[in-house]
Amino acid sequence: MATPSSFSIGSTLVLCIIFASLIALTTSNSLADLCIKCQSPRFCLQVFGLNPHRNPYQLTVEAIHLTFTNASDTTNKIHTFLDQTNDDNLKEIYNYCLNYYEASIDILSDAEEHLLRQGIYDTLSNIGAFVQEVGFSCEDRFQEIVDDSYVSTLTQNNNNMKNFGSIIIAAGNLLSNSTSTNNN
Ligand SMILES: *[C@@H]1O[C@H](CO)[C@@H](O)[C@H](O)[C@H]1NC(C)=O
Ligand SMILES: *[C@@H]1O[C@H](CO)[C@@H](O)[C@H](O)[C@H]1NC(C)=O
């Protein structure tokens, strides 16, 4: 006999996730409006969880904060990798990525401390675009070494940045549109 129990646990879980996402989508216009505009709506729903009681401003603050935490975590990871390698090419790649990740952390903390509090929302799309660029540039760097090619050890982290960047862009649009009276 096959094992129906493991199948049903797996499919029940999938059903729960779909059901929970649908609840989120039908009960929260802001969360739905935001996630539907993202590169990966599924990633967006996962990182925000299912509390629907958040307005565009709260979602934006949370997006910036989650991205900041994530990028900081990746920075620590890169430091560890840097300590562990004697390969000069890898050192160069990791330092390159580190510069990008650290720049994004500065920008995100500035956004958290100043821009959002001052109601400056129009730069959010640039910030989001930069966060995406961090992911793309770091990932590409592994293939850009002359005469040698490396398998990226940061693919997952870089993909997170691409997705977080797209969330920040969408959140910025949502926020600007929800607070402005003319939508030209
Ligand atoms: C970064 O984001 C990813 C995707 O949501 C998540 O799996 C991971 O746990 C996050 N890391 C931290 C430190 O928040
Ligand atoms: C907000 O406005 C921008 C253009 O200013 C548009 O591209 C975007 O789709 C709008 N977003 C929403 C959620 O309506």
Side-chain angles (χ1 to χ4, degrees):
M1 277 298 284
T3 53
S5 61
S6 65
F7 170 75
S8 63
I9 289 171
S11 52
T12 303
L13 193 64
V14 170
L15 279 178
C16 283
I17 292 170
I18 293 171
F19 186 61
S21 305
L22 283 175
I23 291 175
L25 286 172
T26 51
T27 54
S28 163
N29 287 327
S30 294
L31 187 61
D33 288 350
L34 174 61
C35 288
I36 211 75
K37 297 255 159 112
C38 291
Q39 183 181 304
S40 167
R42 186 174 158 208
F43 180 95
C44 178
L45 286 172
Q46 273 172 355
V47 299
F48 280 113
L50 296 167
N51 169 15
H53 304 289
R54 284 169 291 186
N55 60 34
Y57 180 80
Q58 291 166 323
L59 287 168
T60 306
V61 170
E62 211 171 320
I64 296 282
H65 187 72
L66 288 170
T67 310
F68 174 86
T69 312
N70 225 269
S72 303
D73 187 58
T74 302
T75 300
N76 293 337
K77 184 173 173 179
I78 300 173
H79 274 296
T80 307
F81 285 165
L82 202 47
D83 288 345
Q84 287 171 347
T85 186
N86 292 317
D87 183 317
D88 284 338
N89 287 335
L90 274 178
K91 279 184 201 259
E92 194 278 330
I93 294 169
Y94 288 139
N95 278 314
Y96 178 91
C97 291
L98 210 45
N99 280 337
Y100 262 105
Y101 272 92
E102 283 173 348
S104 74
I105 288 171
D106 287 346
I107 290 169
L108 290 162
S109 75
D110 186 60
E112 210 170 4
E113 284 165 24
H114 302 292
L115 299 181
L116 291 178
R117 288 185 193 168
Q118 290 164 9
I120 302 171
Y121 305 140
D122 54 354
T123 53
L124 284 168
S125 59
N126 290 332
I127 294 172
F130 183 74
V131 167
Q132 289 185 310
E133 191 189 325
V134 173
F136 283 109
S137 302
C138 173
E139 190 64 18
D140 287 350
R141 197 66 184 168
F142 284 86
Q143 274 80 53
E144 285 168 357
I145 300 296
V146 182
D147 294 337
D148 225 334
S149 179
Y150 288 80
V151 174
S152 172
T153 51
L154 295 167
T155 301
Q156 192 56 54
N157 303 84
N158 291 332
N159 284 340
N160 288 343
M161 290 300 267
K162 295 173 198 173
N163 277 310
F164 276 121
S166 129
I167 293 177
I168 293 173
I169 294 171
N173 285 338
L174 190 64
L175 194 52
S176 305
N177 296 0
S178 72
T179 53
S180 85
T181 44
N182 78 54
N183 286 337
N184 298 325

